[in-house]
Amino acid sequence: MADKKATLTLPGEADIELDMLSGTLGLEEIDVRILGSKGYFTFDPGFTSTASCESKITYIDGEKGILLHRGFPIDQLALHSNYLEVCYILLNGEAPTKEQYEEFSTIVTRHTMVHEQIHHLFRGFRRDSHPMAVMCGVTGALAAFYHDAMDVNIERHREIAAFRLLSKMPTVAAMCYKYSIGQPFVYPRNDLSYAGNFLNMMFSTPCEEYVVNPVLERAMDRILILHADHEQNASTSTVRTAGSSGANPFACIAAGIASLWGPAHGGANEACLRMLEEIHNVDHIPDFLRRAKDKNDSFRLMGFGHRVYKNYDPRATVMRETCHEVLKELGMKDDLLEVAMELEHIALNDPYFIERKLYPNVDFYSGLILKAMGIPTSMFTVIFAMARTVGWIAHWKEMHDDGIKIARPRQLYTGYDQRDFKSAINK
Ligand code: CMC
C-alpha cells in the first residue's frame, strides 16, 4: 500500500484518490489502475509518461545520463566485465562467483549449434534478402523446433529457453551473413569466447584459418555489452506484450527483432552509416543540418537524439573510445570517421540540437566500429538483435516470474458513431 495519494479532480464528480508509487530510484508514479472501474481511461500514445510494468533489471536516468544493470553502472561493466558475465547479471540479478560464471559460460558455449534442419530453412530465402528479415524468420522458426518441450509456466523450461536463445543467436546471426554472401555456414567453436566465436563464424572459411584479433574481439564484446538491455524500449515492450499472452519465447524474440528493425530504434546504426556515406564530405554537413532542422523535410540526423537520454548517452562515451581503439589497431584513417567527428562537433554546438538536447547516441559510433571490422551495413541491426536477446529474455523471464497479465491497452476512439449498414452489392 502506498503512503502518498494523488487526488484527481473531475468536473461535477467526487474526487478520485490515486496511490503514489515509489521505486528504488526514479520518478514517483501515479497508480491509475482503478480509473477503468471509475469509468475513465488515461491517454498516452507512445507511452511518454506511462510505466508499463514493474522491473528490477535496468535503470536509466536520462537527464543525468545514467544506465545501471542490476545497479551496476554501464561504463564499469563495459570496461571491467565481459558480455557473458553481464548476461548472467541481467538474468540472475547478482554478479556471479567464479564457479557460477564457469558453469554459466560452459552451458552457453555447449549449446551454440542449431538443429541441422535449420540449414535447409535458410535455403527458402533469397540470397539478397535483408539479414534482419532472415533473422526474424529463422528465430521465429526455432519455436517449431522447441515448442513441444516448452511450457512457459514451468520455471525450468523458461531457463532452458533462455540458454538456448543466448547460445544460438550468434550462430543464427552469422548464418544470416554467410548465406547472404554465398559462403558455407561455419560451425561454432567451443574454445573461443562468445565474441570471438561470433567473429570466427562470420569471417572464417574452410580454405583458410581465421585468427581472432584480440582488439576486435574486445570491441565486439563491448558492442554486445552496451546493447544488452535498455529497460522498456520499443522492442523489449514488444517482447513483453507478445509474451503476456503466454506465447512461445522464440516467437516472442522474433517479435522483438521485428520491432528493433525500424530506423527509429535498432535500425538507426545502419541508417546512420548510410547517412554518413551520403554526406560523404565535411563540406556537405551544413546542407544535411539544414535538412534536419527543416520541419517540411522528413530527414533526421540519424544517431542523434533519444527518447530517454536528454544528456549524453553513457554508452556513446565508451563506444567512442572503442571506435578510436579499433581504427588505431587496424591502421585505418577513415573518411567517414572524419565526417562523423565533424558532424558531432557541429551538432553539439548548434542551438537547434542544444535546445532539444539531441546528443549522439550509441548507434552513432557502433556503425563505424562494425564497418571498420569489415561487417556490412545490413548486418548492423542483426548484431544489435543478437546483443539485445539477453535483455529481451531477462524481461520475458521476469514477467513470467512475477505472474503474467495479458497486455491489453485501450484507445481514444475517434471513428464513426453507430450507423446503419446498407450494402451496395447485396440488396
Ligand atoms: N534530427 C533532427 N531533429 C531531431 C532528431 C534528429 N535525430 N531527433 C529529434 N529531433 C527533434 C524533433 O524534430 C523534435 O523537434 P520539435 O520539438 O521542434 O518538433 C524534437 O527534436 C523532439 O523529437 P521527438 O521526435 O519528439 O523525440 P522522441 O523522443 O519521440 O524521438 C528518437 C526519439 C530517437 C526517435 C529521435 O531522436 C530520432 O528519430 N533520432 C534519430 C534515430 C536514432 O538515432 N535512433 C536511435 C535511438 S538509440 C538506439 C535505441 O535505443 O534504440
Side-chain angles (χ1 to χ4, degrees), residues 47-275:
F47 296 107
T48 54
S49 304
T50 297
S52 61
C53 63
E54 192 181 320
S55 180
K56 295 183 174 60
I57 302 172
T58 291
Y59 173 73
I60 303 173
D61 183 331
E63 293 298 328
K64 295 190 184 137
I66 293 172
L67 168 60
L68 310 175
H69 291 323
R70 303 287 190 179
F72 303 117
I74 190 64
D75 50 327
Q76 291 181 19
L77 293 173
L79 298 175
H80 307 300
S81 183
N82 69 33
Y83 180 67
L84 276 187
E85 191 178 23
V86 172
C87 290
Y88 184 99
I89 291 169
L90 286 169
L91 290 166
N92 298 293
E94 295 296 337
T97 61
K98 208 167 178 312
E99 292 71 34
Q100 286 167 330
Y101 176 77
E102 292 302 332
E103 189 191 351
F104 182 81
S105 59
T106 304
I107 298 174
V108 173
T109 308
R110 299 238 170 110
H111 292 85
T112 44
M113 286 207 298
V114 293
H115 196 292
E116 277 297 299
Q117 200 66 20
I118 289 179
H119 292 218
H120 302 298
L121 201 68
F122 272 86
R123 300 210 176 103
F125 290 97
R126 287 167 54 134
R127 293 267 177 194
D128 60 357
S129 306
H130 193 288
M132 274 300 272
V134 181
M135 178 88 165
C136 192
V138 172
T139 306
L142 292 179
F145 287 83
Y146 302 111
H147 192 75
D148 287 350
M150 180 72 223
D151 180 345
V152 293
N153 300 309
I154 300 174
E155 196 183 344
R156 176 72 189 134
H157 286 196
R158 296 201 291 274
E159 198 180 27
I160 292 171
F163 274 117
R164 279 186 174 143
L165 277 156
L166 196 54
S167 308
K168 296 179 199 316
M169 278 322 228
T171 314
V172 171
M175 287 170 87
C176 291
Y177 174 57
K178 287 296 195 189
Y179 185 75
S180 73
I181 56 169
Q183 285 187 5
F185 297 135
V186 176
Y187 285 94
R189 265 180 49 189
N190 290 0
D191 60 322
L192 297 175
S193 70
Y194 195 86
N197 174 48
F198 174 65
L199 289 173
N200 185 62
M201 289 190 291
M202 286 283 290
F203 294 119
S204 74
T205 65
C207 345
E208 201 174 319
E209 196 196 348
Y210 173 79
V211 180
V212 180
N213 176 322
V215 175
L216 303 192
E217 183 181 8
R218 181 72 194 139
M220 178 54 73
D221 195 67
R222 279 205 184 139
I223 288 178
L224 299 179
I225 293 174
L226 295 173
H227 286 89
D229 188 44
H230 216 224
E231 56 120 298
Q232 313 309 323
N233 53 81
S235 58
T236 304
S237 302
T238 301
V239 171
R240 278 188 180 259
T241 302
S244 75
S245 68
N248 179 287
F250 299 96
C252 295
I253 300 301
I257 294 172
S259 169
L260 187 78
W261 194 358
H265 191 9
N269 50 14
E270 179 176 348
C272 179
L273 207 87
R274 292 199 196 287
M275 177 193 75

Side-chain angles (χ1 to χ4, degrees), residues 327-375:
L327 293 173
K328 191 168 162 228
E329 169 69 15
L330 297 175
M332 286 168 89
K333 194 184 161 306
D334 194 290
D335 290 346
L336 285 190
L337 184 69
E338 200 187 325
V339 172
M341 292 302 109
E342 188 60 14
L343 181 62
E344 182 197 35
H345 177 71
I346 296 176
L348 285 176
N349 289 291
D350 188 307
Y352 174 94
F353 289 87
I354 295 170
E355 278 159 25
R356 290 168 181 76
K357 300 182 176 176
L358 300 170
Y359 298 93
N361 56 49
V362 67
D363 291 323
F364 187 68
Y365 300 104
S366 62
L368 290 166
I369 301 175
L370 294 172
K371 178 178 179 282
M373 285 178 172
I375 293 172

Side-chain angles (χ1 to χ4, degrees), residues 264-265 268 295 300-304 306-307 352 356 361 363:
H265 191 9
K295 291 284 158 242
R300 281 191 167 199
L301 221 49
M302 301 315 288
F304 278 78
H306 200 277
R307 168 61 64 80
Y352 174 94
R356 290 168 181 76
N361 56 49
D363 291 323

Side-chain angles (χ1 to χ4, degrees), residues 301-323:
L301 221 49
M302 301 315 288
F304 278 78
H306 200 277
R307 168 61 64 80
V308 180
Y309 293 117
K310 301 304 173 194
N311 195 323
Y312 212 83
D313 180 340
R315 302 168 300 170
T317 316
V318 183
M319 206 59 110
R320 192 177 195 271
E321 277 170 28
T322 307
C323 184

